[in-house]
Amino acid sequence: MATPLPEERPTLTLVPPVADAPVFKDEPAGPKRLDSVRKVAGHTNRVAQLALLPHTLRGYRELGRRWLTRFRDDYPQLIASTDRAIRDAVGDVHSEAKLKERRAELRDEYRRHRLTFTGKSAGVAGAVAGGVGFGAVTGSLWLDLVAGLGAWGLGAFHGRDRSQPDTDTVLGLPADDTIRGHGSVTLTDLPEGAKPVPIRRAETPQQAAVCVLLAMVAENVPVVEVWDMERQPWGWQCKVRVGENTPEAIIAKAGGLETRFDLPTNGVRPQPMVERRACAILRLVEGNPFATAPGLPYRAPKSISITDKSRLGTSVGGDPLEAALAGVMGLVVAASGGGKTGMLQAIGEVTTACYDNITIDLDPHGDGLEDLYDAVRVTGRSHQQIENVLLFFLMLSKGRARLRAKLGMGKKWKISKEHPHFTVIFDEFPKGSELAKRLAFELLLVGRKEAVTLIIASQGGTKLYLGENIAQMIALKAVGPCKVGDTRAVFGDGAVAEGWLPHKLSPATDTDPKDAGHVFVQGVPGMADEPIEYAIHPTPSDTLRKLAAERRDAGLVEPDQDSLRAMADVDLPDLGTALPRLLTWEQLLRLCDADPAEGAAAEGSARVTVEDAVAVMEKRGVDRMKTEALLLALRDYEGAYDHWTVDGLKTRLKEAGAGAPETLGRLGDEQNPRGYKLAKLTALL
């Protein structure tokens, strides 16, 4: 009996276990047929690419397309167009007969053309086939080889890739995903051989864009794109982009472009875009672009603030010209007939409607704001009046500078009903006296922060007119029809190249207003400084007179007593020349023949005494004085009081409405003397 083997001893056998034996599936012995086909096709394509076979096939396809195009020669299109014209002319016997004759002629010409072209093609094909056949019959290997190479080279040449890589591809940049503008037309869109035509022949925006681009190309303007073409009541408007330099080239070629477009003088009006240096808004003006602009809005008396934006005019693109005139020093320049008075009246119409502004009108030669006279608080025409007014407001601004801290206003004067703004309009500035010009210049330097602004107007903007190179230091500049030198003096030496073109505007004549009242404006608060033309609202004289009377009847704004009292605490400026005596507000009103404030003292010597009493109290910085002390102060102030008595002073002040002296409370060493208080005397003025 055999001894059993231990379980840990492995069994000796030459046959592996079933689990370890490899399992073989039924698979083909060779590679898959589909992979073999793909591999062969890949090798074939690579060989074909190396041999330029795709180029050759593409070349013969291109040659066939050219042959077919020449074979047809646009005759089918012409015949189809004539057929459409015949259908459209149904009912017009004469036109229909002529069109049918034309169609018959086209068909005959097409038939003759096909026969001729087919004959020529057959001749060329026969010559080629004869050469190849001769080589094949004679068995010349070299001739067959040359013919084959020639056929291959001809196809490869005409089938070559003619596309040029763009800049992004050459530089390795990512593809440009930007979208062309609405209705964009570029140089590649221009018809071959097309020539410029007058813009009035364009009927659609696309045709107008092509017309603009053709004219630009003809004038050698480097414009590469035209888009956003729009029909306007006055002409066409679009945007253009130059490929090099700036839109200055359009401005330089404006005259030639006007000829290309068949437009009137100044009919091409480019406006460079601030946000895109290479682009400009181009306006092709055939009519009046401001014909549909809204008129002057009605502003009731004391209905607006000088800090509010108010509409003064309209741009050539239809946008409003709105400005807040608080703290804005201004310069208005326009030649004779340029509408300067209308511009100033538009400003004055706004300032006289404010509840927190006082308008002052100065003009040494003309009639200033003219029809707004009744709404103006102070009007100065003589040199004496103008000099005194400017000195008064220079000192008032100086007093306000010291007063701001006491009133807690901060770094600039806070405008309100109680502390109003002053707008001084100085027309015909070059005709003012030398002292008036100097005082105006000083006021330009310090008045803005104190809410005392000056707007000067002149027929020119150069040093010859203004006396100093101050044009570019003034914030708000409005320039109408003028000389090119004025444009550069006001807007800068490079202004013309940047599109500031007021010198291209035409001043009015006796019978034609032309461009009077049209301006280019810079420095309007809250608006970008863009070289765009505006038209100031024209307002009839009778309308302005009615508005002025209405505002006068509602009561004119008066200065605040805080500012008037602060003037007594400051010294006169040292200008190197003699200055007139600083007047009080009431004295200034009387000098300029202005109406006294409501509730003021009566006219005459009694009023003068009250004014002088107020002046000496303010100068000494006191708010009350004994009657005897007041008389002594008046004697020091004015020699006319040297022979006055205390009783005479009491009588004169009583006539003015001050009444009898009142108790003043403790004053110095005295417990309760009698005299006059500054507040009561000031209230009389």
Side-chain angles (χ1 to χ4, degrees), residues 6 11 37 50 67 73 239 255 302 314 320 379 400 441 452 476 535-536 570 574 623 644:
T11 305
V37 171
L50 292 174
W67 183 89
D73 199 19
K239 296 176 182 177
K302 299 181 179 180
T314 304
T379 300
R400 279 186 167 185
F441 179 74
V452 181
L476 176 64
I536 303 300
V570 294
D574 183 8
D623 63 349
W644 279 43

Side-chain angles (χ1 to χ4, degrees), residues 644-659:
W644 279 43
T645 64
V646 172
D647 290 337
L649 177 60
K650 291 178 181 179
T651 302
R652 188 59 56 86
L653 290 177
K654 187 175 182 179
E655 292 176 0

Side-chain angles (χ1 to χ4, degrees), residues 215-216 218-223 240 242 244-261 266 268-272 280 282 484 488 494-501 503-504:
M216 296 284 184
E219 289 295 323
N220 296 320
V221 178
V223 171
V240 298
V242 296
E244 58 186 38
N245 298 325
T246 66
E248 176 185 354
I250 303 175
I251 300 171
K253 298 285 187 177
L257 291 172
E258 288 165 1
T259 301
R260 299 281 184 183
F261 293 129
N266 199 27
V268 174
R269 304 188 187 184
Q271 176 198 339
L282 182 66
V484 67
R488 295 192 176 100
V496 176
E498 295 174 359
W500 299 94
L501 307 173
H503 54 279
K504 287 198 170 185

Side-chain angles (χ1 to χ4, degrees), residues 40-52:
V40 172
H43 287 302
T44 303
N45 287 337
R46 281 195 294 273
V47 172
Q49 291 288 345
L50 292 174
L52 299 179

Side-chain angles (χ1 to χ4, degrees), residues 298-304 352-355 547 550-552 554-555:
Y298 171 73
R299 287 180 265 258
K302 299 181 179 180
S303 61
I304 60 175
T352 56
C354 298
Y355 57 75
L547 290 173
E550 184 181 33
R551 293 167 186 177
R552 178 201 59 200

Side-chain angles (χ1 to χ4, degrees), residues 227-341:
W227 77 100
D228 278 356
M229 179 65 73
E230 297 177 356
R231 191 72 168 97
Q232 302 289 345
W234 40 262
W236 292 94
Q237 175 177 303
C238 65
K239 296 176 182 177
V240 298
R241 178 172 61 86
V242 296
E244 58 186 38
N245 298 325
T246 66
E248 176 185 354
I250 303 175
I251 300 171
K253 298 285 187 177
L257 291 172
E258 288 165 1
T259 301
R260 299 281 184 183
F261 293 129
D262 192 16
L263 292 174
T265 301
N266 199 27
V268 174
R269 304 188 187 184
Q271 176 198 339
M273 299 171 63
V274 176
E275 64 275 13
R276 297 183 65 183
R277 188 72 173 119
C279 303
I281 298 174
L282 182 66
R283 296 181 178 90
L284 307 179
V285 180
E286 299 175 90
N288 181 9
F290 302 102
T292 58
L296 175 76
Y298 171 73
R299 287 180 265 258
K302 299 181 179 180
S303 61
I304 60 175
S305 170
I306 193 68
T307 59
D308 296 336
K309 284 188 175 182
S310 300
R311 182 164 182 157
L312 296 171
T314 304
S315 76
V316 67
D319 299 320
L321 172 60
E322 296 178 327
L325 298 172
V328 178
M329 299 295 185
L331 170 65
V332 176
V333 174
S336 177
K340 179 162 50 63
T341 298

Side-chain angles (χ1 to χ4, degrees), residues 586-652:
E586 297 300 328
Q587 290 171 336
L588 187 67
L589 292 178
R590 187 165 59 252
L591 174 67
C592 297
D593 299 323
D595 294 333
E598 186 176 352
E603 291 291 343
S605 57
R607 180 184 183 84
V608 175
T609 304
V610 174
E611 292 174 353
D612 292 344
V614 170
V616 297
M617 286 188 185
E618 290 178 344
K619 187 174 182 179
R620 297 197 176 195
V622 297
D623 63 349
R624 65 197 69 194
M625 292 185 73
K626 285 178 56 177
T627 308
E628 295 80 0
L630 178 59
L631 179 58
L632 293 176
L634 287 171
R635 289 174 178 174
D636 293 337
Y637 179 72
E638 184 66 50
Y641 296 99
D642 289 345
H643 303 290
W644 279 43
T645 64
V646 172
D647 290 337
L649 177 60
K650 291 178 181 179
T651 302
R652 188 59 56 86

